[in-house]
Structures are given as structure tokens and as C-alpha cells.
Amino acid sequence: MPSAQNDVQVLKGGRVIDPANGFDGIADVVTKGDTIIAVGPDAGLQYADARVLDMTNKVVTPGLIDLHTHCYTGLGDFCLPTDLMGVDSGVPIMVDAGTTSSTIFGLARKGIIDHPDTKTKIFALLDPSQIYLANKTFVCHYLRIADDERNIDVESAKKVVDDNRDVIVGFKVRATITDDPDRSPFLEAAHQIAPDLPVMIHLGAFPHTPVLDTEKLLYKLRKGDMITHACRGGGGQLDQNGEPTKAYKDAYERGVLMDIGHSAGDFHFRTARRLIERGYPPTTISTDLNVFNVDGPVYSLSTTMSKIWALDVPLDQVIAMTTINPARAINKQDTYGSLSIGRPAEVSVLDIEEGPCTLSDGNEEIVAQRRLRAVGCLRNGKWYDAIHDQKQTAELKEAV
Ligand SMILES: [Zn+2]
């Protein structure tokens, strides 16, 4: 695929799936500079001098959004190279989920988010503590500062949020408890620092620091707050008979969003299958990519999407779960998540690889009859090949 920086580009003749606009059909997507200027069957024909990228047999979608990544390379030892999860995986937009807290956020902003070498568009969910750093050894939990209320300073965190509202779109909370098992001061702090911003909660335990019981946690979440690792095993979503718990159903119906956040051990086909069967599909599909899971079982967003597709969720819904739904979750639906004319030129392109393939959640393997693989993306109007996803395809072919 040529690198395209011409003024007008036509992504020609792909199957365009744009769930926000209810569109699924063969069409062209035309961009001029950093903006989408036309979408529709043969919409590119009138642009005779345009650079044309042939999308025959490809799926063309709004720019994919990975709602849960760890992408602040160099802050600790947990993050992956920033663009590996982004444009190199066909994902022009991603969200860092709480790798850092308020006192070090400026470093993440200057060193990664705004750095000229960073190609992917990054938004941030901030940890509400003063000092938090996601790293391999969970040092903030080991040192017990992840459950020490002295680590909370609502006023200074407010200032960091208000100074960075163009990129901070919410909070990532580890709902640790202190002396009272019925409340998490860290969740309360996030709700106080910026009551208008959503909170993403890590469902599940941490080493060293106790967390709020799932049932209590679910009842504290507001409409628009998100649970990540929503399909993990033993997370309190299902009761002993494998049925969704009342707390889970109540939260879902109240408008709490359910995010996949796959990670190494936090996605189980069994849980996902049951929740989907019972009418509680995830709202968003995200990876939680970090050093522990990029070489399996997560690999990339397209692989994670393939797993949900393999559970008989229709393809347009799988696309919605990685485009308009995450855009809504971070209140960016007026800018991202659809291919409407006038929107920024953020577009993803996927291949459907037909034929049996094995997909693993790290515990259970299933055989799917087809899967998605990223081809590339337009990020701010510039084309990037999905070299990370394509590398895996090449390796698989070599192994045959
Ligand atoms: Zn994470």
C-alpha cells in the first residue's frame, strides 16, 4: 500500500461498515487532507486526480478506538511501544487506561501524547491518586500506596484534569478499600475530582491491596461509568448457576458500560458467551495490551474483535463496539466513531480471513471459521500499514 499524503484520497470499493450511520455496503470513502469529504457508492469517481487505494474485498470502518491500552512507553516497564497498539495495528485512536496518576501526567503528555514521534491519537483515563504507575510488579500495591488515602489530593488532581481536558476523558480506578469494606476512597475521589467525567473500573483483585466487593462496586457506579474486564471469570457477574447476577443486570440496565479489557487472564469465552446469550453483550471491545499479553493471548485489537465475532455477535455490532460505542464512552461521538462528512479522516481497513483459525482466551481455545485482520488505517488523513497485525499473518503463513 503506498504511503499517501496527496490532498484527495479515495478508499475505493470496500465494504463500508459505519454502524453510527446505519450503513453497510460497497462504497468509496473520500478524504481531503485531514477531513472526510464524501462517502457513498462511486463517490470517488468525480475526483479524477485523487490518489486511489483499492479496497476491493476489504472492510472499511470508522477509525477503530481501543478503549483500554497501556501506551506510555518509558514510564515504568509495563507499556508497549505506543504505535504498536495504534496505527501499526490499524487503530488510529486509543485510550491509555490509568498507567499514570496526576503528579506524573505532565510527563506522559509531553513525552508521549504530544510527542512528534507519536503517530496514534491518544486520550487518557487518569488514575485519581497522586502517585500511581502501572508496572510489572504492581509496586504501588506492594508499597501500599494504592490503598493509602494520603495518596489522594482532590484539589491538585482537579487542576491537572482541568488543565488537560483536551486529552483526559475520564478516570481509571482501582477500587481499593482501606478500613471500611463498604467504600473505596479512590472511587469516591474520582467522582469528586470531575463529576462530569466517566470512571473506568478494573473488575477483579490486585496483589497486596483489597478491593471493593463486586456487588457493592456495581451499585456505586453511575450511568456512563465503565467496567473493564467485564467478561473475566469469577468476577461476580455470574452467580453459582452461571446466570447474570442481579447487581450486574441492574448496573447494565442503569447504563453502566461493559468493556472487554481482554488482558492475559481477564477475558473468558465462557463468561462472554453466557452474558451474550442472556442479552448482556459488551458495550465496547478493548485489549488492555501490555508487555504481558501482546505475544498472546491478546496480540491486537483485530484479534480481540475476532473473538467476539466468533461468539456470533454480528459483524456490524463488533464494529460498533470498537468505533461509535467507545467514542460515546469518552464523550467524543461528535468527532470520532463514524464516517460522516466533515469528520476527521480517521478510517480503519480490515481483511476478513476465511477458513478455520484457533482463537485462545489464554485458557480456552475455540475454532472460528473466519477472523479479522487489520490492513492499515488513515490517521489524520495519512495512511499507515498495519505492520504489527500483518507480521503475525506472515508468521502464521510461514508456520503452515
Ligand atoms: Zn489495564
Side-chain angles (χ1 to χ4, degrees):
M1 204 66 73
S3 116
Q5 197 52 89
N6 269 11
D7 204 23
V8 178
Q9 297 177 101
V10 178
L11 304 187
K12 186 166 182 45
R15 178 182 169 191
V16 174
I17 304 181
D18 182 7
N21 287 315
F23 186 88
D24 183 349
I26 304 298
D28 299 344
V29 176
V30 187
T31 63
K32 183 172 169 44
D34 58 6
T35 307
I36 296 169
I37 58 166
V39 182
D42 295 324
L45 285 181
Q46 58 178 298
Y47 301 94
D49 297 332
R51 177 182 294 259
V52 175
L53 304 176
D54 182 8
M55 294 298 157
T56 308
N57 297 325
K58 311 282 187 229
V59 173
V60 179
T61 74
L64 298 175
I65 303 170
D66 191 341
L67 192 61
H68 185 160
T69 68
H70 294 279
C71 64
Y72 299 151
T73 320
L75 279 182
D77 53 8
F78 187 63
C79 293
L80 289 167
T82 307
D83 290 321
L84 180 149
M85 298 163 276
V87 293
D88 293 348
S89 294
V91 178
I93 303 156
M94 62 186 173
V95 180
D96 180 278
T99 300
T100 66
S101 53
S102 59
T103 53
I104 41 177
F105 183 73
L107 201 52
R109 170 131 208 189
K110 192 168 180 192
I112 302 291
I113 297 172
D114 292 344
H115 196 281
D117 288 351
T118 301
K119 299 177 184 83
T120 310
K121 173 77 186 165
I122 299 171
F123 291 106
L125 296 170
L126 184 76
D127 187 285
S129 312
Q130 293 194 76
I131 300 172
Y132 192 87
L133 180 65
N135 76 322
K136 279 181 176 174
T137 56
F138 295 93
V139 68
C140 298
H141 300 268
Y142 173 64
L143 296 177
R144 305 298 300 263
I145 57 174
D147 63 339
D148 186 332
E149 289 189 56
R150 292 173 298 177
N151 199 3
I152 296 172
D153 180 342
V154 169
E155 289 311 311
S156 74
K158 249 185 197 155
K159 179 157 176 19
V160 172
V161 171
D162 287 337
D163 288 348
N164 294 279
R165 275 189 177 255
D166 52 337
V167 293
I168 294 178
V169 291
F171 298 93
K172 167 74 181 298
V173 170
R174 287 89 181 167
T176 51
I177 54 177
T178 51
D179 46 358
D180 181 350
D182 293 331
R183 58 178 283 261
S184 168
F186 295 84
L187 175 57
E188 290 171 9
H191 283 164
Q192 281 166 20
I193 293 163
D196 60 315
L197 294 184
V199 167
M200 174 187 273
I201 297 273
H202 165 105
L203 188 68
F206 284 99
H208 316 293
T209 51
V211 294
L212 208 52
D213 163 81
T214 298
E215 187 178 333
K216 286 176 188 158
L217 169 66
L218 287 168
Y219 281 109
K220 288 182 191 295
L221 298 183
R222 312 160 302 182
K223 180 177 193 286
D225 285 342
M226 310 162 233
I227 288 284
T228 194
H229 314 313
C231 295
R232 77 192 298 276
Q237 315 93 314
L238 300 174
D239 65 19
Q240 286 166 335
N241 303 320
E243 295 299 328
T245 61
K246 184 172 184 313
Y248 195 83
K249 291 193 282 192
D250 285 351
Y252 199 99
E253 273 143 28
R254 202 164 63 247
V256 174
L257 310 179
M258 301 301 174
D259 176 55
I260 290 292
H262 189 310
S263 202
D266 288 323
F267 172 76
H268 282 200
F269 284 121
R270 227 163 58 152
T271 309
R273 206 178 279 124
R274 179 49 65 99
L275 289 171
I276 291 166
E277 272 169 15
R278 292 295 188 260
Y280 299 92
T283 322
T284 52
I285 300 171
S286 70
T287 58
D288 193 9
L289 270 165
N290 58 60
V291 292
F292 288 120
N293 59 45
V294 66
D295 294 324
V298 180
Y299 300 107
S300 67
L301 185 59
S302 72
T303 306
T304 310
M305 293 164 76
S306 302
K307 294 175 190 178
I308 302 299
W309 193 22
L311 298 180
D312 292 333
V313 174
L315 182 58
D316 65 328
Q317 285 184 35
V318 171
I319 305 293
M321 289 168 185
T322 44
T323 57
I324 188 60
N325 292 5
R328 284 192 186 116
I330 58 171
N331 293 307
K332 295 289 175 196
Q333 67 272 25
D334 294 338
T335 312
Y336 301 111
S338 84
L339 294 173
S340 301
I341 292 166
R343 295 292 183 97
E346 314 288 350
V347 185
S348 292
V349 178
L350 300 154
D351 250 334
I352 295 177
E353 293 179 354
E354 293 286 352
C357 65
T358 303
L359 296 169
S360 170
D361 64 8
N363 181 46
E364 180 188 350
E365 285 189 346
I366 64 168
V367 176
Q369 293 311 311
R370 58 192 62 79
R371 60 154 295 156
L372 297 166
R373 181 84 67 189
V375 176
C377 64
L378 287 184
R379 156 75 190 115
N380 204 28
K382 185 174 178 192
W383 176 265
Y384 295 92
D385 286 328
I387 53 175
H388 172 64
D389 248 28
Q390 295 296 319
K391 185 167 153 260
Q392 210 203 345
T393 310
E395 281 166 7
L396 286 172
K397 278 188 186 140
E398 221 163 78
V400 169

